[in-house]
Amino acid sequence: MFHTFIVKYGEIGIKGKNRYLFEEALVKRIRQALHGTDGDFDVTWEQGRIYVERSGSFDYDETIQALQKVFGIVGISPVKVVEENSLPQISEEVVRFLQDTYKVHDQSFKIVTRRAKKSYPIPSMEVSSEIGGKVLEAFPDMHVDVHTPQLEIHVEIRDQVYIYSETIPGPGGMPVGTNGSAMLLLSGGIDSPVAGYMIAKRGVKIDAVYFHAPPYTSERAKQKVVDLAAQVAVYAGDIRLHVVNFTDIQLAIYEKCPHDELTIIMRRYMMRIAEHFAVEDGDKALVTGESIGQVASQTIQSLAVTNAVCTLPVFRPLIAFDKQDIIDISLKIGTYETSILPFEDCCTIFVAKHPVTKPVLHVIERSEEKLNDVIGDFVKKAVETAELIEVKASGR
Ligand code: ATP
Ligand code: MG
């Protein structure tokens, strides 16, 4: 019965003259998400509403699931479309709609009519009360409640008539691309994919950078990160993933710097290189999966010392999250199973037994001076040899 969906969106409605851009971005993301399904659709957009109509075969559940991953959508209403728009015909169709949609018919309800076609000769209130009367005749146990009805039955009169009563929740947030772009430091862990998801939810397009250390880290560890990027891309849209060979830098740090400072110095080089690619890609911020106190490199002192090398703002959406809260989101968005695969990550190989937890900036800077002979060349080489992988949102 349902071949058409009305897409409702929230926050973008309040954006004044930017509204057009927001709607355009949302429509683009909807088309992209639906392209990843087996169905064929027309997506149209008029008078502050977005309509998704099947143009060929489609699967209902798959369509809903795809739309539920498009940020900016607050609700999805499956619609019954009726060709005939005479009032008796509409009433009859509403009754049939209730018959087909619900098992029981004892709810309180109200009819909400909207005349998108202003030339329709009968005022909305009259249409509603006429249809309401017919519903009461057909289902004597139902009753009208205009304030807190159990069912809000919507009748939208266009060239055709759209009837719907359910709104399936969407993910909320804002359409990706409406709030600029940022560079995500994406590792194979649980946290950074969640951080990327959260920033994308605010409408920010994501680019990503991953540091690996072959041969100390394997091809499978890299593939895991590519897979995670693809899973985030389902929500965030296409992701440009820069894969940086970090081995020389890491070995140099290991050789020349105090071992209790390895992680913090490594993190600083990651940030520097990430910022390089961010600037190149036009990103206005960096994003990490850090959370206060989670590990030695994420104490407030460590975060401050890491932050000191960055000029761009660093967004840390998980900063105040407990691990379990992060895990819950990763389960919800489908990255958890991949994140816990046991492949080595470039940080776990060179970790110190007792890393500093309260690094002091000038001490760390002094340690880094020991790298002066080689680090410029190594960073340059790492940047030049980085591989770019275009991760597609739909996987097709
Ligand atoms: P995650 O689960 O995201 O790996 P983590 O708890 O393992 O996080 P760290 O290893 O300290 O934390 O890393 C903190 C953040 O630094 C990560 O969330 C990520 O944003 C970034 N990061 C760490 N390692 C890498 C890497 N190899 N490539 C890219 N970014 C990284
Ligand atoms: Mg990690």
Side-chain angles (χ1 to χ4, degrees), residues 183 274-279 282-286 307 309-315:
M183 178 63 70
E275 184 158 300
H276 169 91
F277 286 110
V279 170
D283 303 327
K284 298 291 181 269
L286 302 176
N307 215 81
V309 298
C310 301
T311 310
L312 291 176
V314 182
F315 296 157

Side-chain angles (χ1 to χ4, degrees), residues 3 107-108 263 297 332 371:
H3 300 150
Q107 305 90 328
S108 62
T263 308
S297 61
K332 189 184 82 181
L371 298 165

Side-chain angles (χ1 to χ4, degrees), residues 15-317:
K15 290 288 172 179
K17 64 180 192 287
N18 285 335
R19 183 176 178 130
Y20 180 88
L21 294 175
F22 280 68
E23 289 172 334
E24 193 179 46
L26 183 54
V27 167
K28 187 176 153 208
R29 278 292 299 136
I30 290 172
R31 290 198 174 117
Q32 204 175 28
L34 293 173
H35 186 67
T37 71
D38 286 325
D40 292 308
F41 302 89
D42 286 328
V43 182
T44 52
W45 155 33
E46 60 182 73
Q47 294 180 21
R49 279 172 183 239
I50 293 170
Y51 301 92
V52 172
E53 259 157 295
R54 71 128 183 224
S55 59
S57 64
F58 85 117
D59 179 79
Y60 178 87
D61 293 330
E62 187 189 36
T63 305
I64 297 291
Q65 279 164 21
L67 292 173
Q68 282 185 311
K69 296 191 169 83
V70 177
F71 294 137
I73 294 181
V74 296
I76 304 147
S77 295
V79 172
K80 173 179 177 171
V81 179
V82 176
E83 297 295 332
E84 183 64 49
N85 71 9
S86 76
L87 191 45
Q89 193 76 31
I90 299 174
S91 301
E92 205 175 295
E93 293 290 355
V94 169
V95 168
R96 195 169 304 150
F97 167 85
L98 292 173
Q99 191 72 57
D100 294 343
T101 311
Y102 298 98
K103 284 201 190 74
V104 292
H105 300 92
D106 58 3
Q107 305 90 328
S108 62
F109 74 99
K110 94 174 173 185
I111 307 282
V112 182
T113 303
R114 180 175 188 262
R115 285 182 307 163
K117 190 182 168 79
K118 293 295 170 216
S119 61
Y120 195 76
I122 309 164
S124 301
M125 292 291 278
E126 266 176 53
V127 174
S128 293
S129 74
E130 173 68 23
I131 298 172
K134 289 289 187 284
V135 169
L136 290 172
E137 270 173 35
F139 306 109
D141 291 340
M142 291 183 70
H143 59 280
V144 174
D145 178 348
V146 291
H147 300 296
T148 51
Q150 288 168 298
L151 289 184
E152 244 183 46
I153 303 160
H154 293 261
V155 175
E156 188 172 312
I157 304 172
R158 311 165 79 213
D159 285 331
Q160 298 157 314
V161 179
Y162 285 18
I163 302 168
Y164 64 94
S165 61
E166 299 266 346
T167 300
I168 300 158
M174 299 165 101
V176 170
T178 55
N179 278 322
S181 65
M183 178 63 70
L184 170 67
L185 284 87
L186 181 63
S187 68
I190 294 170
D191 306 328
S192 46
V194 172
Y197 163 88
M198 288 178 67
I199 291 293
K201 186 171 178 189
R202 296 306 303 160
V204 179
K205 188 185 170 318
I206 298 285
D207 294 308
V209 57
Y210 165 59
F211 298 90
H212 68 156
Y216 303 96
T217 62
S218 65
E219 195 58 27
R220 287 195 309 174
K222 171 180 150 188
Q223 186 57 43
K224 173 180 168 183
V225 174
V226 175
D227 293 344
L228 285 170
Q231 287 158 6
V232 175
V234 169
Y235 295 89
D238 300 347
I239 295 178
R240 288 161 57 82
L241 172 63
H242 304 270
V243 178
V244 178
N245 186 325
F246 206 53
T247 311
D248 287 344
I249 297 171
Q250 211 157 12
L251 287 174
I253 298 171
Y254 193 73
E255 230 168 78
K256 296 174 192 281
C257 301
H259 281 192
D260 60 343
E261 296 171 4
L262 288 181
T263 308
I264 196 86
I265 294 175
M266 201 179 69
R267 305 271 312 116
R268 281 160 59 90
Y269 278 98
M270 283 187 184
M271 295 303 249
R272 289 177 172 110
I273 294 174
E275 184 158 300
H276 169 91
F277 286 110
V279 170
E280 211 172 81
D281 286 356
D283 303 327
K284 298 291 181 269
L286 302 176
V287 180
T288 76
E290 291 160 315
S291 152
I292 294 175
Q294 203 189 75
V295 287
S297 61
Q298 297 177 26
T299 61
I300 290 193
Q301 292 87 343
S302 297
L303 290 169
V305 170
T306 305
N307 215 81
V309 298
C310 301
T311 310
L312 291 176
V314 182
F315 296 157
R316 299 179 173 89

